[in-house]
Amino acid sequence: MTRAGVSNRAMACLAATFIVGLSAGALRAAVENLQPGDSRANFGELARAVHSLADSVHTPIELHFFSDMQKSAMPASFSELALPANVSLVLHPVAKDLAPNWTVESVNAPGQVWDPKKTRVQVVVAGFGTPAATHTVSLIVNGKASATRTVDVPANGRATVEFPSLDVPYGFTRCEVRIDSADSFPADDASLFAVERSDPRRALFVSDAGDSRSPLYFKSALASAGQAAFTLDTVSAGQASGQPLSKYAFVVLSDLISVPASFESDLVKYVQAGGSVWIAEGASAAHSARIPVFGGNILESRYYSRTSDRFLNVGETDPSYPSVDKTDRWSGVKFYFAIRVDPGDARVVARLSDQTPLLIEKKIGEGRVLLFTSGLDNITNDFPLHPIFVPFVEQTALYLSGTERRSGSRAVDSFLELRSSKEQSVGVEVVDPDGHRPLSLKEATSAQTYQLTRAGFYELKLANGRHDVIGVNPDRRESNLEVLPDETLSLWRGNSGNGVQQAAAQGSAQEQTQPYSLWWYIMLLVLAAVFAESLLADQYLVAQRQEGL
């Protein structure tokens, strides 16, 4: 945050400055142009930068490091702090007594709002080195407080508060959760996020006229979801022909004995143009030879017993798929029927315990077809009777419609995807918290990602044409001001400087014809100063880096 952020770019640029041999005045000017920033401190980044420097400077290095030695800056593994053999580390802890600090540790809010009354905002307030206290938590919408709650935070603990609704206007809204901590570190007393409100989208559910179960279960699952994102139109297969498919976010074909040729042709065109179709093959598939829209033949219809342990369970899933939760959440679901198909080059998302593909996604043109090889009723399986069915339907619907849950907030230094590989040469636009456009014209048509280096609201126009607003917050690990114990600092000192004398002898032999003047050692001290907490944000160096791209 604004206290200490060991910046990889700042250290890399300074190391490069040493190598090219700039004057002490040039180095001092570079240091003076650095500004405080919002990056998280990371001592592992320091070690990596010193390794890079030591690769070019073969003489002994005495590194003086001034820092508050915040415990949260430690890397995941202590081995990442190891320094080269020719580096001797001198630590200068500058932290004062640990001050109590309260923070808005996390905010759980959706990126999109369809029904304000169903939209909940959950907030976690944490205290570090703090006594028990009561705080007021405010939900701020477009700069005005829309709701307040009080919360009792235990000593050095956490408490959760919930706002049961989020009443925002249509379009994008900038929101904030703030506490009245009155501590000495106010930078983490607020958390920013943005939401977009829009009307629910329409979806089409097609089933045979005699099937009353699958549309009932599917519609109930969508209605039970956390947000009413979709309005479902249900029709029979005979009524489906001539439907204006372009107005639907996705189409579901549930356990159809047959699909009219004209309707299937419309569906193929709909998918090729970017639409999505979800096909569920229930018991009626036993009377069919091929799968509509998806293509390919049904190789076999597999019946499993409902008695004893002869039914099948989900054997494996792809956890990276948006609508698939952890495998153990599926473990109790029983499958009594499934069809077997050859997935070919399609993506198999889930398999039954006998390796029969259960969930398969196939790309066709600009769209996708998702095949569920069992039914959406409670005849071919008992899936609709399990709690996991509701989030599965909801997340799959969001994914197929292209409106999967977005996060309205990100952490500082995270990367934002600007375009896919298919969207080259399409211009994008980024507006930072100061209202500036940091991308050059060349970068706007070529950059794949953009790093969010500062806290605040960013406005975006992505290559796919979507507009977005994102609230960016400093990493909340910085809110814990606890410092490293002396034992850890001693271990770190002892993990450096091994073989310094040997390195000195080697350096003397190698550098006899290239004597070093005193300014080299002065610059090493400047390096240590750059690592000091308030000087390690790098807006100036980011600009330098972008100009070089």
Side-chain angles (χ1 to χ4, degrees):
M1 302 173 75
T2 54
R3 304 179 64 257
V6 178
S7 166
N8 190 29
R9 290 185 298 276
M11 292 188 292
C13 290
L14 187 64
T17 303
F18 274 91
I19 294 171
V20 299
L22 293 180
S23 67
L27 286 171
R28 186 176 295 107
V31 171
E32 290 174 350
N33 277 282
L34 293 173
Q35 298 295 324
D38 302 315
S39 296
R40 185 179 77 88
N42 188 336
F43 297 156
E45 296 281 356
L46 166 65
R48 284 188 283 274
V50 173
H51 273 280
S52 178
L53 177 63
D55 288 341
S56 301
V57 179
H58 302 292
T59 56
I61 297 174
E62 186 175 88
L63 173 62
H64 289 256
F65 182 43
F66 298 81
S67 170
D68 59 4
M69 305 302 172
Q70 195 171 338
K71 193 173 182 178
S72 63
M74 287 290 289
S77 173
F78 188 81
S79 62
E80 295 182 40
L81 295 178
L83 297 176
N86 64 328
V87 176
S88 178
L89 178 64
V90 181
L91 298 176
H92 298 271
V94 295
K96 300 178 181 179
D97 294 337
L98 179 62
N101 182 46
W102 286 276
T103 179
V104 179
E105 187 174 50
S106 66
V107 175
N108 183 14
Q112 292 180 288
V113 174
W114 294 279
D115 185 349
K117 295 181 179 179
K118 282 191 172 184
T119 303
R120 291 175 172 77
V121 179
Q122 294 180 326
V123 182
V124 176
V125 179
F128 298 98
T130 55
T134 299
H135 289 285
T136 299
V137 185
S138 300
L139 176 61
I140 301 171
V141 175
N142 285 334
K144 297 181 179 180
S146 66
T148 59
R149 296 285 187 274
T150 58
V151 60
D152 295 323
V153 184
N156 199 33
R158 292 172 173 80
T160 301
V161 62
E162 182 176 287
F163 295 93
S165 64
L166 182 59
D167 191 6
V168 294
Y170 282 90
F172 287 102
T173 299
R174 302 183 180 204
C175 304
E176 177 183 352
V177 173
R178 180 174 292 276
I179 58 172
D180 60 339
S181 72
D183 56 34
S184 59
F185 189 35
D188 61 354
D189 291 350
S191 182
L192 309 177
F193 65 98
V195 298
E196 180 188 15
R197 182 179 175 183
S198 60
D199 289 323
R201 302 184 66 184
R202 303 186 73 85
L204 180 64
F205 191 96
V206 185
S207 61
D208 282 326
D211 179 11
S212 61
R213 294 172 182 261
S214 60
L216 174 63
Y217 284 121
F218 193 90
K219 191 170 187 176
S220 298
L222 279 184
S224 301
Q227 293 206 57
F230 300 97
T231 298
L232 192 67
D233 294 343
T234 58
V235 299
S236 67
Q239 300 169 327
S241 297
Q243 290 286 336
L245 299 180
S246 60
K247 74 176 184 179
Y248 292 110
F250 64 94
V251 177
V252 180
L253 307 181
S254 177
D255 197 17
L256 297 178
I257 297 176
S258 64
V259 175
S262 60
F263 182 48
E264 182 174 358
S265 177
D266 291 342
L267 285 171
V268 171
K269 294 176 182 178
Y270 167 72
V271 173
Q272 290 175 337
S276 296
V277 172
W278 183 357
I279 303 172
E281 291 287 1
S284 296
H287 306 288
S288 303
R290 61 179 294 273
I291 305 170
V293 187
F294 186 87
N297 296 325
I298 298 175
L299 303 178
E300 181 185 0
S301 296
R302 295 189 169 185
Y303 293 87
Y304 309 105
S305 175
R306 287 174 172 267
T307 61
S308 185
D309 293 329
R310 299 181 63 185
F311 53 79
L312 292 189
N313 301 115
V314 174
E316 59 185 56
T317 61
D318 180 353
S320 66
Y321 199 74
S323 60
V324 175
D325 209 329
K326 297 179 181 179
T327 304
D328 58 0
R329 297 278 302 277
W330 295 61
S331 60
V333 180
K334 302 174 184 178
F335 288 85
Y336 314 123
F337 173 88
I339 63 169
R340 187 170 66 85
V341 299
D342 180 7
D345 59 355
R347 178 182 181 182
V348 178
V349 179
R351 295 179 184 271
L352 295 175
S353 50
D354 67 349
Q355 292 302 299
T356 298
L358 176 65
L359 193 64
I360 310 170
E361 181 187 299
K362 186 176 185 179
K363 295 291 184 66
I364 299 178
E366 296 298 318
R368 55 172 65 92
V369 178
L370 185 66
L371 174 62
F372 187 63
T373 62
S374 191
L376 296 174
D377 49 36
N378 65 339
I379 298 175
T380 54
N381 55 67
D382 67 351
F383 196 13
L385 307 181
H386 287 261
I388 187 64
F389 187 69
V390 171
F392 171 72
V393 169
E394 179 191 19
Q395 292 301 319
T396 303
L398 291 170
Y399 171 66
L400 292 178
S401 66
T403 55
E404 60 265 34
R405 287 201 185 281
R406 299 179 294 108
S407 173
S409 66
R410 300 285 183 92
V412 167
D413 287 336
S414 62
F415 285 86
L416 180 73
E417 185 177 352
L418 299 178
R419 71 182 79 246
S420 68
S421 58
K422 297 181 180 180
E423 297 166 332
Q424 299 299 329
S425 302
V426 180
V428 300
E429 187 174 305
V430 177
V431 180
D432 67 19
D434 290 330
H436 300 149
R437 289 170 171 77
L439 296 181
S440 65
L441 290 176
K442 180 180 179 181
E443 290 171 331
T445 56
S446 61
Q448 295 287 124
T449 60
Y450 178 76
Q451 188 172 22
L452 304 167
T453 57
R454 296 182 50 208
F457 287 103
Y458 287 77
E459 296 181 22
L460 310 161
K461 179 183 177 182
L462 305 180
N464 60 10
R466 177 177 178 80
H467 288 76
D468 212 344
V469 177
I470 295 177
V472 179
N473 299 286
D475 194 313
R476 284 306 192 257
R477 284 175 288 185
E478 285 280 323
S479 297
N480 186 352
L481 307 181
E482 183 179 0
V483 299
L484 290 169
D486 292 337
E487 296 80 3
T488 302
L489 295 179
S490 297
L491 285 173
W492 193 10
R493 293 189 193 96
N495 204 20
S496 64
N498 296 325
V500 169
Q501 293 181 351
Q502 180 181 358
Q506 294 175 350
S508 176
Q510 295 173 355
E511 306 294 339
Q512 285 181 0
T513 60
Q514 300 180 14
Y516 285 86
S517 61
L518 183 61
W519 69 272
W520 274 92
Y521 298 97
I522 296 175
M523 286 191 293
L524 290 175
L525 294 178
V526 176
L527 172 63
V530 172
F531 298 146
E533 51 193 331
S534 65
L535 296 179
L536 295 174
D538 53 0
Q539 297 175 24
Y540 170 83
L541 294 177
V542 167
Q544 292 289 82
R545 171 179 174 270
Q546 292 174 342
E547 291 175 4
L549 291 176

